[in-house]
Amino acid sequence: MTTLQVKKINLQNSYHQTAWQKILASENLRVEHHLSYTAGIYDGEQLIATGSLQRNVIKEIAILPHYQGGEVFNLLLSHLMSELSNRGFYHYFVFTKPMYQQTFEYIGFQKVAATAEACLLEKGNQSIDEFVKCFSKKEKGVKQQIGCIVMHANPFTKGHLYLIETAAKACAQVVVFVVEADEGMFSYQERIALVKAGTAHLSNVEVYGGGAYMVNFATFPSYFIEEEEQVIHYQTVLDATIFKEKIAPAINCTVRYVGEEPFSHTTNLYNQALKEVLLPEVQVQVIPRSASLDGQIISASKVREMIEAGASEKLADFVPATTRTFIQEKYHV
Amino acid sequence: MMEIKQTAMAGTLESSDIQITLTPIAGATEIHLDSSVGKQFGEQIKQVITETLASYKVEHVRVDAVDRGALDCTIQARTQTVIQRGLDQVDQVNWEVL
């Protein structure tokens, strides 16, 4: 098969786009947008295989049945991996169907977690086993509760503080993970600094970054799912499974705390998935939202709205003094 | 001692090739090998990599190698390339060790 050629596919071109969509359809993959790079393998003029990158995630791998099983797959993956290293990514993921787990393990990927419907694998200079070594393992007492909270804290509000304080009262130790994905108004560095500053008075609370492994919605692809609701379900179940199998045992976590979510459908589904997956090994405590003095529900999205509108009057009701000072300095609000 | 400055990769997963990733670490050098012929040639492959690292005086690295039946000369060439890339000296080849 010396005629095989690997090329970048230009998806702006409708001729190439049609050929690409056809090959995805033959493997029952959903057409995804926002891909950073798409490669194709051609046998003569015919597109016979494709794979894409979205940041550090390999996705949309499709190979025509006749060419499956070895050479074409290796050629395609070699190309995508050298493309990843050209882009400076040396830690990358594949999100795939469970049936392909072994295929990827064979070329050096390691499983992060698998559910009935999906499998996440990683390769490169970081791994989840290395990641969990950074945490100090807590003493496992008979009645000792070790609580855990994962939060985005964009930015850190009195609502987050209330959640952590509630956990800190009930548990011997509380570990807070801050989501690292930089998608929002406040950067990861800013967010984790504010969580640390806002919880400095609580001696049994530790704050860590969540790495690539906790609530990384942006990087968990889900292209082989038809419906939005299903997409969310897949991702949340996988996220919960990673927590249950890898994170919770590393810190001896016995209870995961989450905030009640009256507004966001996605977070609601996430809380549901956590209960589905974590029980009975890890308890799930849903804490009702706290309200500001005049009865308004506190949320980080409202804080961001206030900053954008330059409305400073109620900010001090919504965020702790440490966050208030930071907002003042950064946004002059 | 030569210090590996950045993670680097060389080689492919195609038949008769080897893909090598080099990452600087704090501890002693580790070699992780996945090979289709690991049972027969695993030790020899590791030895070629170890010797090539030694000729460049490279220590404190993690080597991840995915072998697809590469010959020793290929293993050596891929290891040299990945070292040069890791040293960020792609255009100043160290001819003396070759």
Side-chain angles (χ1 to χ4, degrees):
Chain A
M1 282 200 270
T2 47
T3 53
L4 295 183
Q5 262 193 308
V6 188
K7 286 187 211 162
K8 179 184 172 170
I9 302 183
N10 177 9
L11 295 177
Q12 307 301 322
N13 176 313
S14 65
Y15 172 77
H16 293 301
Q17 194 187 39
T18 310
W20 177 69
Q21 286 178 350
K22 209 173 134 197
I23 197 169
L24 289 185
S26 75
E27 287 293 295
N28 293 319
L29 297 178
R30 207 170 61 132
V31 170
E32 269 211 57
H33 305 284
H34 311 295
L35 297 168
S36 1
Y37 176 80
T38 298
I41 297 185
Y42 292 83
D43 188 349
E45 291 292 300
Q46 194 198 4
L47 179 67
I48 56 127
T50 179
S52 296
L53 302 177
Q54 189 173 62
R55 294 163 67 175
N56 64 338
V57 182
I58 297 173
K59 50 166 62 171
E60 305 270 79
I61 300 280
I63 301 172
L64 288 184
H66 176 63
Y67 294 89
Q68 283 175 10
E71 191 183 341
V72 171
F73 177 80
N74 289 348
L75 184 65
L76 181 63
L77 267 292
S78 295
H79 177 76
L80 291 174
M81 282 187 236
S82 60
E83 198 57 43
L84 280 161
S85 66
N86 287 346
R87 286 158 195 261
F89 292 119
Y90 293 100
H91 178 221
Y92 36 85
F93 295 90
V94 173
F95 186 76
T96 186
K97 300 177 192 181
M99 61 188 283
Y100 295 126
Q101 180 184 334
Q102 271 200 317
T103 314
F104 284 98
E105 282 176 345
Y106 188 61
I107 57 166
F109 280 83
Q110 283 183 318
K111 184 185 87 170
V112 177
T115 67
E117 303 131 313
C119 180
L120 184 73
L121 300 105
E122 66 180 342
K123 183 174 180 341
N125 60 6
Q126 289 171 46
S127 71
I128 190 155
D129 296 328
E130 292 292 320
F131 173 72
V132 298
K133 277 186 200 160
C134 310
F135 316 131
S136 51
K137 193 150 183 159
K138 307 292 172 292
E139 283 297 310
K140 212 176 196 174
V142 182
K143 288 180 188 166
Q144 194 110 305
Q145 287 276 49
I146 293 154
C148 181
I149 306 170
V150 178
M151 56 174 59
H152 193 205
N154 183 32
F156 186 66
T157 65
K158 282 186 176 173
H160 297 115
L161 181 59
Y162 173 73
L163 183 60
I164 296 174
E165 281 176 337
T166 308
K169 271 179 212 155
C171 300
Q173 281 286 335
V174 176
V175 179
V176 178
F177 290 106
V178 179
V179 173
E180 289 195 21
D182 259 333
E183 302 281 314
M185 185 176 200
F186 292 82
S187 73
Y188 163 65
Q189 294 304 339
E190 292 169 346
R191 288 183 286 111
I192 193 166
L194 290 176
V195 177
K196 283 182 176 166
T199 55
H201 60 290
L202 300 165
S203 59
N204 62 341
V205 173
E206 280 175 55
V207 182
Y208 294 107
Y213 306 101
M214 275 173 265
V215 195
N216 229 322
F217 285 107
T219 58
F220 283 6
S222 44
Y223 50 88
F224 38 75
I225 304 129
E226 265 67 70
E227 289 168 25
E228 277 319 299
E229 186 110 340
Q230 254 182 305
V231 175
I232 299 167
H233 188 74
Y234 253 90
Q235 298 180 343
T236 52
V237 168
L238 189 74
D239 185 276
T241 306
I242 295 172
F243 185 81
K244 178 183 182 168
E245 291 178 359
K246 301 284 187 171
I247 310 293
I251 55 173
N252 275 331
C253 170
T254 53
V255 49
R256 170 113 174 224
Y257 283 82
V258 295
E260 184 192 39
E261 184 50 69
F263 304 122
S264 161
H265 183 58
T266 310
T267 312
N268 244 330
L269 288 173
Y270 182 54
N271 288 352
Q272 258 176 352
L274 284 173
K275 281 187 203 163
E276 235 174 80
V277 176
L278 298 188
L279 295 170
E281 287 88 345
V282 178
Q283 298 297 308
V284 178
Q285 287 279 355
V286 183
I287 305 299
R289 288 262 176 163
S290 59
S292 70
L293 290 174
D294 60 357
Q296 280 208 65
I297 300 274
I298 295 176
S299 82
S301 59
K302 279 191 194 155
V303 172
R304 295 195 300 275
E305 279 167 25
M306 285 186 219
I307 295 170
E308 267 159 15
S312 61
E313 314 84 49
K314 284 184 178 162
L315 266 179
D317 293 346
F318 276 56
V319 299
T322 43
T323 306
R324 182 73 193 91
T325 309
F326 180 83
I327 292 172
Q328 168 89 50
E329 281 165 8
K330 186 176 175 191
Y331 296 99
H332 309 291
V333 174
Chain B
M1 192 191 112
M2 300 295 272
E3 194 195 342
I4 295 294
K5 298 189 180 79
Q6 62 199 19
T7 301
M9 194 184 84
T12 74
L13 302 166
E14 288 168 66
S15 187
S16 305
D17 200 352
I18 182 168
Q19 184 204 57
I20 302 181
T21 310
L22 209 58
T23 307
I25 56 171
T29 293
E30 306 167 13
I31 300 180
H32 301 268
L33 175 69
D34 264 311
S35 175
S36 49
V37 293
K39 272 188 191 154
Q40 301 96 315
F41 299 111
E43 284 313 308
Q44 194 185 334
I45 295 167
K46 284 184 185 175
Q47 201 191 334
V48 174
I49 296 172
T50 306
E51 280 169 8
T52 312
L53 290 173
S55 68
Y56 277 83
K57 299 189 173 54
V58 169
E59 292 167 27
H60 305 296
V61 286
R62 183 192 150 102
V63 180
D64 288 285
V66 184
D67 171 64
R68 286 290 165 267
L71 297 173
D72 286 4
C73 55
T74 310
I75 300 166
Q76 202 184 3
R78 294 305 193 192
T79 310
Q80 285 164 351
T81 307
V82 81
I83 292 169
Q84 295 277 165
R85 286 180 180 161
L87 294 170
D88 203 9
Q89 292 183 351
V90 179
D91 43 6
Q92 310 152 42
V93 178
N94 187 354
W95 296 109
E96 277 175 34
V97 303
L98 296 181

